[in-house]
Structure formats: C-alpha cells, structure tokens
Amino acid sequence: PVCIPLNTHAPSPAPRRCALLIGLQANDFSWQVMDFIASCQNIAIRNYLSVSSAELYGEYGIPGMNTYFRTMILSSSCILGRASDESQEKYSILALNRLNPNMESTMGMTVGDVDCDVNGPKRSCSPKAAEIIYMPSNESNFRLAACNDDDIVTINGQRIVARTGHFPLKNRDVCSVGARVFVFVDDNCLA
C-alpha cells in the first residue's frame, strides 16, 4: 500500500521517504462550528449549514472524524481523495477485519485507485483531489499539488488549484484536502 493508517501497525524502522499526515481538531485553531455558520453572509448557505451542523460537528467537533485521520505515506507519490462509497464498503468487508478488527473506516488507507482515502461526507472531494510527491529541493523534501481546479485543497490557508502547479510542503504545514484538515510531518525532519 501507498498509505497506512497509524491505528494499524506502522513499519519499523520507517522508510526514508516517510511522511505523516495528522488530523487536527477545529479547536486546535479556535475554530467553532457555530461561529463559522454565523459568519456566512449568504442566508441560504447559513440556513443550509444550520441544518447540517450535526454533520459539521461529526467531522470537526470533539471528537470528530478529522481527529482520527492519521496516516503514513510510504511511497514517493501519493494521491489523496475520497474513495467511492462502493469502494469503501467493498474494501471494508475484504480487508479491514484482517488488518484491525476494531477499525470502522477506510480513512487513511489505500482504497482502489485512491492512494490515501481522506473519507468525509459525500461529494466533499473527488477520488483524485491532491498529490503529495517526494521531490527533495533546497526548500523542502515534499511538494503538494491539486489534481484539478474543482476540489478544495489548501496549504497554510491558501487555496491551490491544478493550474498553479506544485508547492513546497514543509514540516508542520497545515493542509486540507476535501473535508480533511491535517498537519504534514516530514519524518526526515524528526531525525
């Protein structure tokens, strides 16, 4: 596999090109679901979000799904995206019970054509939303790129799209792909 969730057994010692993606809680940045809803200027969007507040809490509240996103990238290239419901279900039936009987999600795993399933609500991103590439330079060891212009992909709060190319990805950069918000940890910086 290209990615393995850290709630399974990580390889020891870790590979040289290893990187970790660690999900964050909304309150790590003093972000509150209700404040976000109140800040929406468009009344239709605010009303929609108010109805969907339970889903937002389920993703970003304490403890939300985002908190459980922890994965190790084992390859020099990793496509991040949301695996289809059908792929998630099939993979869950076939593989999850063998890997970890307590695991309930494919989040952080390689599922079908998706190297790292970011999971999240339906339509939160496509199966090929972003790519992390091991490409050492003077700036960083890794780079982040959006695979298209439709998915929401950010690095340190700045949205990136496919036409803007690759961006240096540094240790402790905060990224988002679809519904997943995580801190990037370059394992080479930990040595």
Side-chain angles (χ1 to χ4, degrees), residues 34-42 46:
M34 293 315 292
D35 292 345
F36 170 70
I37 292 171
S39 73
C40 291
Q41 301 298 315
N42 184 309
R46 187 180 318 154

Side-chain angles (χ1 to χ4, degrees), residues 18-91:
C18 175
L20 306 174
L21 309 179
I22 309 295
L24 300 171
Q25 289 183 0
N27 66 351
D28 289 339
F29 295 97
S30 301
W31 186 84
Q32 301 295 323
V33 171
M34 293 315 292
D35 292 345
F36 170 70
I37 292 171
S39 73
C40 291
Q41 301 298 315
N42 184 309
I43 292 175
I45 292 173
R46 187 180 318 154
N47 290 340
Y48 171 77
L49 290 173
S50 293
V51 171
S52 303
S53 64
E55 191 170 4
L56 286 169
Y57 277 108
E59 287 293 324
Y60 306 109
I62 302 171
M65 284 300 292
N66 206 65
T67 305
Y68 298 108
F69 181 67
R70 298 190 182 328
T71 193
M72 179 183 288
I73 297 175
L74 302 173
S75 177
S76 58
S77 174
C78 176
I79 299 291
L80 292 92
R82 185 183 185 285
S84 69
D85 291 338
E86 181 181 4
S87 292
Q88 288 178 22
E89 185 177 324
K90 284 180 181 177
Y91 198 85

